[in-house]
Structures are given as structure tokens and as C-alpha cells.
Amino acid sequence: MREISNVEINTLAKELDDVLKGARLQKFYELGEGEFRLEFHAPGKGTLDLMVELKKRINLTRYVKPAPQTPTQFAMQIRKHLEGALAENTRQYGFDRVLVIEFNAQDGKKQLIIEMFSNGNMILLGEEGRIIACYRTEEWSDRVIKRGVKYIFPASTKIDPREVDENKLRSILNEKKLIACLAGRINLGTIYLEEVIARAKLAVDKQANKLNSDEITELLRAFSEICKAFEHPVPTAYFKDGKSFDYSILPISKYASLESKQFRSISELLDEFYAPNSTMEEPKADKQFAEEKRKLEFALKTQREAAENLRKKAEEAKQAGDKIYEHYSELEALLRFVYSARKSNKSWDEIEKVIKGKAEIDRTKGRIIVNI
């Protein structure tokens, strides 16, 4: 699976910020395992559908997949807090594979965090940065993703390619092949690192710490050149044997011999790259298998959520039963007193005076409420 890179998310964030700013979220759907659709309404633009497939893509789509009849628990949580909310800002966190959509909701500011690395995740934050809902509960040594805790953005240990200078570059060169060395220390996707090396006229398998001063200068020039090119993206899809092969936000040297097609935006490119019934889709058998797998995974997730809800209800019922058993003699005496008092025509006011501090009477529903 082609995972979206941080460079592409950087371009995408700028595109989406222009389009979504001022739009209201109308509906949120969970379509399958790690797959979501956010339906916005934008003044003067109408309905905008944002597709999210964790790790894979985020884009506005014209291929709207049908939503399941029953929303998942996660979808209901997002709807509860974000339906009708105004999208104010869309941005990338740092230069990482994290997209942040900031909302102004009726009960305050909210942030929807879309993590496109590791297993992928979607997290809703409240005003204080605490997690209201998350698609996956996860835990690492330096941060925890679960409801109620304060969200911590992932720490980036790699060098931002836009900040590479001679000192930083020399400090990371080691005995590994050049491509492996750069990929391990610089926050840039492999396809773009290979392009940097190609523009510097170097070999990807050259030993990194064997670069001479002239080669280091050329590598720095290539980094500067490609980072400037990122500011003027040319979203391009590549085809091999008539099928989709790869994509980028600028022309890639090693794909020069392949058929290619340029798009007006990275969002449009991704929509067509993953579009159904197009020359850019997966082979039919693979697609049918993937669709069946998606349906089964979605059904399994829904059943697990239902089972977890039943387990919680059963646990609550058991705890209530244990409490009743523990105080059985007291409860029995209380009920006998109330029954006897009512049979003797005593008023509820008289009864309440006697049981005050032990129980409360809900006259409208005919209930006796006991705190035990």
C-alpha cells in the first residue's frame, strides 16, 4: 500500500485550509476499518465530502461511498461533539504525517487530529487538549492515546529537510548506503530523497561517509532545490502497463520513462488515484477481495463494540446485585416499613420524615431511591 508522505500532507493541508475554512461539518461516517467520510457544507460551494483512509489518503472526493445504516460508537461520539461545528483552520503539525482540523463548536473549540503514521488514528480534542474520543487506544513510552488524557503530539527525531545545512548533514553521514543513511535521519519520504540524490548526480548506494566536499555541496544544493519545488507543487500520477503505479507532488526523475498525468491539486490526484472503475484502481480480483475484507472488518468491529457494551452493562448489573445482596436485610426492613405505613394510611410526608437520610421517594414515578 502506498502510504501518504509528510510532504504530500504539507501540500494537502494548504489546499484543504483554503477549501474548508468556514465550512460546517454536517455528518461524520465510519465506512470501514480506518475509513471515514466527513460531509461539510461550505457557503457558495455546497456539499464537500472529505475522505480519510488512515495511512493511505485524505482528500475531497466526488466518489461518495454509501454510509452504513447503523453508525459506530466512534462515529456517534464525533457527531455528538462536531455536528454543526465550523472548520476554522486546517494545518500540518510540524513536518510530520499529522493533519489537524480546528473547529469552532457550540460548546467551544475542538481539534480533530488525523495521524497517518504507524497504524493510523483519529483523535478528537477538547479546548484543554484532552482526548474526548479516539479511534484507537494506544500507548507508547512517551505518550498515551485514550479518552480523558491530555493529548501529546508525536515527537519528531528526524531533521526537517527544509533545515538541512552543512553541519547537520555532515553529522549524520555514516557507513551506510547514502539512501539508507538519509532515510534514517531526515524527515522526507524515500521517493523524494531518491530525487534529491538524483539531482545531486550521486548514486543511492554510495557509502554516505565517503562523500567528498564537492558531493556534499551538491547534495545541499539538491535539498534546497527540491524544498523550493515543494512550494510550487505539480501533483503527478504515474502509470505502468496501463495501471496506476505511484504519485508525487513534483516530477520524479526515475519515472521519466513512465506514462504520467498531472492534476490541479493533490486532493484531486488522490481522488482519481483511488477512484472506483478507473484505470488507476486495483485489479478487479484484488478490489473485490479488499471490499469483502473491508465489510467483514467493519462487521467485526461493530460486533466487538456491541459485545463490549454488553460486558459493561453486565458488570454494572452484577455490581448493583452485589450491593443489594450486601444490604438485603436493611432494604427488606425499609420496604416492609413503607408497605405497612401505606397500608395504615400514613401520608408520604409522614413516611419521608421517618426514612429521611436513608432513602428518597420519587412520587411521580412511584419509586424509592436508596443510596447504598
Side-chain angles (χ1 to χ4, degrees), residues 71-88:
T72 62
Q73 193 172 27
F74 178 68
M76 288 191 291
Q77 281 291 309
I78 299 297
R79 290 182 185 184
K80 176 182 175 182
H81 294 281
L82 284 186
E83 272 194 5
L86 193 72
E88 292 189 325

Side-chain angles (χ1 to χ4, degrees), residues 114-134:
I114 306 173
E115 296 183 347
M116 299 295 280
F117 59 90
S118 187
N119 294 320
N121 210 341
M122 185 178 284
I123 305 117
L124 178 64
L125 309 183
E127 283 190 312
E128 296 180 355
R130 292 199 174 275
I131 297 173
I132 296 172
C134 56

Side-chain angles (χ1 to χ4, degrees), residues 98-359:
V98 180
L99 189 76
V100 181
I101 306 178
E102 297 176 349
F103 289 91
N104 187 0
Q106 285 187 343
D107 58 345
K109 304 286 186 179
K110 301 283 191 301
Q111 292 184 78
L112 189 65
I113 312 292
I114 306 173
E115 296 183 347
M116 299 295 280
F117 59 90
S118 187
N119 294 320
N121 210 341
M122 185 178 284
I123 305 117
L124 178 64
L125 309 183
E127 283 190 312
E128 296 180 355
R130 292 199 174 275
I131 297 173
I132 296 172
C134 56
Y135 181 63
R136 303 183 202 277
T137 297
E138 298 180 293
E139 186 170 347
W140 294 269
S141 60
D142 58 341
R143 68 190 197 113
V144 176
I145 305 295
K146 70 177 181 180
R147 188 175 177 179
V149 306
K150 195 171 181 65
Y151 177 78
I152 299 173
F153 281 99
S156 180
T157 57
K158 294 185 178 182
I159 300 170
D160 187 324
R162 300 167 298 184
E163 298 173 359
V164 172
D165 58 25
E166 185 173 352
N167 288 335
K168 288 178 181 177
L169 184 57
R170 285 184 180 276
S171 71
I172 66 171
L173 298 179
N174 55 29
E175 71 284 352
K176 293 182 180 179
K177 292 178 181 179
L178 184 56
I179 184 62
C181 171
L182 297 180
R185 300 300 302 276
I186 295 179
N187 196 11
L188 192 60
T190 303
I191 185 176
Y192 299 107
L193 285 172
E194 288 176 342
E195 182 63 16
V196 168
I197 294 170
R199 294 189 183 197
K201 297 180 173 57
L202 297 171
V204 293
D205 58 354
K206 183 179 178 68
Q207 189 172 321
N209 59 6
K210 296 293 185 182
L211 294 182
N212 60 40
S213 294
D214 289 342
E215 289 171 328
I216 289 174
T217 299
E218 279 301 296
L219 199 57
L220 287 169
R221 179 197 59 76
F223 267 113
S224 177
E225 182 181 287
I226 204 167
C227 286
K228 286 178 182 176
F230 291 153
E231 297 300 315
H232 306 282
V234 184
T236 306
Y238 304 96
F239 304 86
K240 195 172 186 179
D241 300 325
K243 296 177 182 177
S244 61
F245 180 69
D246 204 351
Y247 64 85
S248 65
I249 61 164
L250 48 80
I252 299 295
S253 302
K254 71 175 184 177
Y255 293 156
S257 62
L258 296 180
E259 180 188 352
S260 63
K261 180 180 178 181
Q262 294 182 352
F263 292 83
R264 291 172 298 179
S265 68
I266 184 69
S267 185
E268 183 184 4
L269 181 154
L270 291 170
D271 198 34
E272 294 303 322
F273 194 84
Y274 295 110
N277 304 317
S278 79
T279 57
M280 305 178 82
E281 68 172 343
E282 300 167 330
K284 187 175 180 181
D286 290 348
K287 187 187 174 206
Q288 288 175 341
F289 173 79
E291 180 64 17
E292 188 63 27
K293 181 173 178 283
R294 182 190 70 79
K295 289 178 181 178
L296 290 172
E297 286 174 339
F298 182 74
L300 180 61
K301 185 174 186 293
T302 303
Q303 289 169 3
R304 281 175 175 166
E305 287 179 352
E308 179 62 16
N309 286 335
L310 289 173
R311 187 195 66 76
K312 287 179 180 177
K313 288 179 180 178
E315 181 62 26
E316 289 170 0
K318 181 180 181 300
Q319 290 175 359
D322 290 344
K323 279 289 183 182
I324 291 171
Y325 184 77
E326 184 181 341
H327 298 274
Y328 181 78
S329 58
E330 301 163 51
L331 293 171
E332 185 182 34
L334 180 65
L335 290 173
R336 282 180 178 174
F337 166 74
V338 173
Y339 178 77
S340 176
R342 289 299 292 164
K343 197 172 182 181
S344 302
N345 295 320
K346 287 189 177 181
S347 68
W348 284 115
D349 289 336
E350 291 176 298
I351 294 171
E352 281 184 326
K353 287 179 183 178
V354 176
I355 66 174
K356 187 176 181 181
K358 298 178 182 178

